[in-house]
Every structure is written in structure tokens, then in C-alpha cells.
């Protein structure tokens, strides 16, 4: 009888802890690799626990995308899968069938057709218990115990403060060529400057997107950004300012707008990559 009671007590503790999401990650990241569907790269990025009363679904944490398109990750009891939803409730990525309360156990997502997507999910919480959070932030910052996000020291950036910089200028080995013509998708045979300059939100604050720097060529209206798995080059309207660029990245960017894309990378800089 004693053993039975102990087992039930143990089970009840597990249920209570799962229901309270004590083991749930505060922040997770999706990384889409070299999939044949270019649009799927825009699923990449960090997701954090939802707030304002919409943070639970079937006793599991709901996550919202921190930057970019309005997306959520939540559990579907009917499908028995973790699913990445768009704002209109449509979806393309989902996990294998599972009952797990911990999304970090999912590992990877597939397209709704069942086809492999090369999309992985992982917990990116820093730990405030590891020497005050310094160790889990690469000894280059401190872990915020509430958000479990690293606050990096000056001169470092990244989800773990793992990157030094950012560089104020990146210079390509070869210039990107051509621009879209007004008559179609053909490209004019002209070379553009090799260098891209770091952009700024204010005088001393670099412009960042998905924990990576934004670069631009003012004279060509070309901009370089990181999408969570690749570096991309896009071309916007002349004289676009940083507000226009952020609005575009949040609301309008599609794979059709990308002129060049790098090989898969988690680097803090686009240097030494093939496009």
C-alpha cells in the first residue's frame, strides 16, 4: 500500500508541475536550414512565452514570435502536435504526433504534408543560476532572470552574447550584380559597390534584426539582414529609413523580394559566406 501511495503522490507532483509550466522554456528558437521552399526561412527566429492571458493551450505554453510576421507556436489537442500558426490561423509547420508538455523535446518540425522541412526548434533560455547568468551568456553578459534573455556587455551580441562586434562595415569579395528591371525579372548587367555599412537606430545604437546587425547601401537602396538561418539581400524604395526597413521586415518581406541569399549560417556576420 505504501508503494502505491508513493507512486500516486509522485505522479500528482509531476502533473502539478507540468500544469504550472515550471519546466517550460521561456524562449525557443526555430532554425530553418537549406529547404527547397525559400518562404519557409521566414519561420526562423525566437519565440517567447505569450502574455496577456493567452499564454496557455491544453496546459501547455503558447509562444509568440519576437520579431517578424505575427506567428505563434501552440499545441493542438485534436492533431496531437505542436503547430506554428500564422495570424489568420493557417499553418505549414508541425511536429510529429506527441503528448509532451515540453516543446524542447520536439526537436524538429515538418511541413503539414509530412515532408521534411529542415526546421529545428530548441530552447534558448539562459540560466540565471549559472554563476549569476554570466556563464550561460558566454561570460560576455548577464542573464535576466525574468525573461531568461542575455543582456550582453558592450561590444557583443547574439542570443548568448557569442558574437563580437558588430562590424561597422562588411566588404564582399565580389560585388553583387544587377537589379530587377521594370519590365520583368531580368537583371541589368551592372556591378554594385562591394561594401555594406552598419545601420543605426540612433547615434550609438546599431540596428538589429533577430539578434543580428542590419547592413545597407544607401546609394543603391540595398539592405542585408539575417532571417534566422541565412543572410539575405533585398532592394527597397530609394531613401528608405530605418523605420521603413523595420516595417518592411515585419509586414511585407517575402522570399520573392530577396535578390541574394547566403548559404546556411548561424554566423554573426555575412563575411566569408557564399551567396
Amino acid at each position: 500500500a505504501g508503494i502505491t501511495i508513493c507512486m500516486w503522490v509522485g505522479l500528482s507532483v509531476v502533473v502539478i508541475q507540468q500544469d504550472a509550466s515550471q519546466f517550460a522554456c521561456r524562449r525557443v528558437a526555430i532554425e530553418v536550414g537549406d529547404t527547397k521552399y525559400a518562404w519557409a526561412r521566414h519561420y526562423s527566429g525566437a519565440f517567447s512565452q505569450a502574455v496577456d492571458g493567452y499564454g496557455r493551450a491544453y496546459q501547455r505554453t503558447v509562444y509568440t514570435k519576437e520579431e517578424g510576421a505575427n506567428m505563434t507556436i501552440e499545441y493542438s489537442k485534436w492533431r496531437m502536435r505542436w503547430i506554428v500558426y500564422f495570424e489568420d490561423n493557417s499553418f505549414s509547420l508541425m511536429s510529429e504526433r506527441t503528448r509532451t508538455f515540453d516543446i524542447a523535446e520536439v526537436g524538429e518540425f515538418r511541413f503539414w504534408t509530412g515532408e521534411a522541412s529542415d526546421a529545428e526548434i530548441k530552447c534558448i533560455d539562459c540560466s540565471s543560476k549559472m554563476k549569476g547568468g554570466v556563464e550561460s551568456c558566454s561570460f560576455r553578459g548577464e542573464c535576466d532572470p525574468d525573461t531568461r534573455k542575455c543582456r550582453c556587455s558592450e561590444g557583443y551580441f547574439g542570443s548568448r552574447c557569442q558574437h563580437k562586434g558588430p562590424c561597422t562595415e562588411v566588404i564582399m569579395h565580389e560585388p553583387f550584380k544587377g537589379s530587377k528591371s521594370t519590365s520583368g525579372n531580368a537583371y541589368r548587367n551592372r556591378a554594385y559597390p562591394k561594401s555594406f555599412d552598419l545601420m543605426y537606430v540612433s547615434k550609438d545604437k546599431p540596428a538589429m534584426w533577430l539578434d543580428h546587425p542590419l547592413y545597407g547601401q544607401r546609394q543603391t537602396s540595398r539592405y542585408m539582414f539575417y532571417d534566422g538561418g541565412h543572410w539575405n539581400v533585398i532592394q527597397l524604395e530609394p531613401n528608405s529609413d530605418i523605420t521603413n526597413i523595420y516595417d518592411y521586415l515585419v509586414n511585407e518581406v517575402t522570399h520573392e523580394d530577396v535578390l541574394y541569399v547566403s548559404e546556411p549560417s548561424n554566423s554573426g556576420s555575412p563575411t566569408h559566406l557564399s551567396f
Side-chain angles (χ1 to χ4, degrees):
I3 295 177
T4 303
I5 292 172
C6 287
M7 289 177 66
W8 280 107
V9 169
L11 288 174
S12 65
V13 171
V14 171
V15 170
I16 291 171
Q17 287 179 328
Q18 288 183 327
D19 184 60
S21 295
Q22 292 185 26
F23 294 131
C25 291
R26 301 275 183 88
R27 302 177 70 236
V28 296
I30 292 179
E31 294 182 2
V32 178
D34 200 15
T35 175
K36 66 180 181 181
Y37 300 111
W39 51 265
R41 294 198 303 271
H42 300 295
Y43 282 100
S44 295
F47 293 72
S48 56
Q49 284 185 345
V51 293
D52 301 329
Y54 297 96
R56 304 295 297 281
Y58 305 109
Q59 298 182 336
R60 293 162 174 85
T61 301
V62 173
Y63 298 89
T64 57
K65 204 166 194 290
E66 294 180 356
E67 294 178 293
N70 192 354
M71 300 180 190
T72 62
I73 307 174
E74 57 186 90
Y75 186 77
S76 169
K77 187 176 181 180
W78 175 55
R79 293 186 173 89
M80 292 180 60
R81 302 173 190 271
W82 287 85
I83 296 176
V84 185
Y85 289 99
F86 278 105
E87 186 176 16
D88 61 3
N89 224 29
S90 63
F91 69 91
S92 291
L93 292 182
M94 61 184 183
S95 72
E96 298 289 344
R97 290 171 66 88
T98 179
R99 294 181 183 272
T100 183
F101 285 77
D102 186 357
I103 194 172
E105 295 180 355
V106 170
E108 65 178 13
F109 282 86
R110 306 180 73 86
F111 292 116
W112 68 272
T113 58
E115 187 178 0
S117 66
D118 196 19
E120 296 183 357
I121 188 166
K122 59 183 179 181
C123 182
I124 57 172
D125 286 354
C126 59
S127 174
S128 59
K129 297 180 180 179
M130 298 174 63
K131 298 182 181 180
V134 175
E135 184 175 346
S136 66
C137 296
S138 306
F139 298 97
R140 298 166 173 172
E142 295 184 351
C143 180
D144 186 315
D146 296 322
T147 64
R148 296 186 189 169
K149 184 175 183 179
C150 289
R151 294 191 295 256
C152 299
S153 302
E154 185 176 356
Y156 297 95
F157 66 98
S159 61
R160 287 286 187 271
C161 307
Q162 69 271 35
H163 303 305
K164 187 175 181 179
C167 297
T168 57
E169 180 184 16
V170 292
I171 302 176
M172 313 304 293
H173 292 293
E174 297 292 338
F176 292 119
K177 295 183 178 180
S179 61
K180 285 188 177 180
S181 69
T182 56
S183 59
N185 292 326
Y187 286 79
R188 301 187 184 99
N189 187 22
R190 57 175 291 195
Y192 278 78
K194 293 183 179 181
S195 63
F196 283 75
D197 296 319
L198 178 65
M199 303 190 68
Y200 289 85
V201 175
S202 58
K203 182 179 179 181
D204 299 317
K205 185 178 180 180
M208 306 292 284
W209 181 255
L210 302 187
D211 287 327
H212 285 67
L214 280 171
Y215 293 97
Q217 287 182 339
R218 292 292 189 182
Q219 65 271 45
T220 67
S221 298
R222 288 189 168 190
Y223 302 94
M224 189 180 300
F225 71 96
Y226 186 69
D227 67 8
H230 304 73
W231 287 86
N232 298 259
V233 177
I234 55 175
Q235 186 162 5
L236 303 183
E237 295 297 322
N239 302 317
S240 295
D241 59 21
I242 191 62
T243 301
N244 300 139
I245 296 168
Y246 275 129
D247 286 344
Y248 178 80
L249 291 174
V250 171
N251 300 310
E252 300 181 39
V253 66
T254 69
H255 69 282
E256 296 176 349
D257 299 317
V258 176
L259 301 179
Y260 296 94
V261 61
S262 76
E263 60 188 299
S265 171
N266 58 7
S267 171
S269 167
T271 57
H272 308 297
L273 296 177
S274 298
F275 282 76

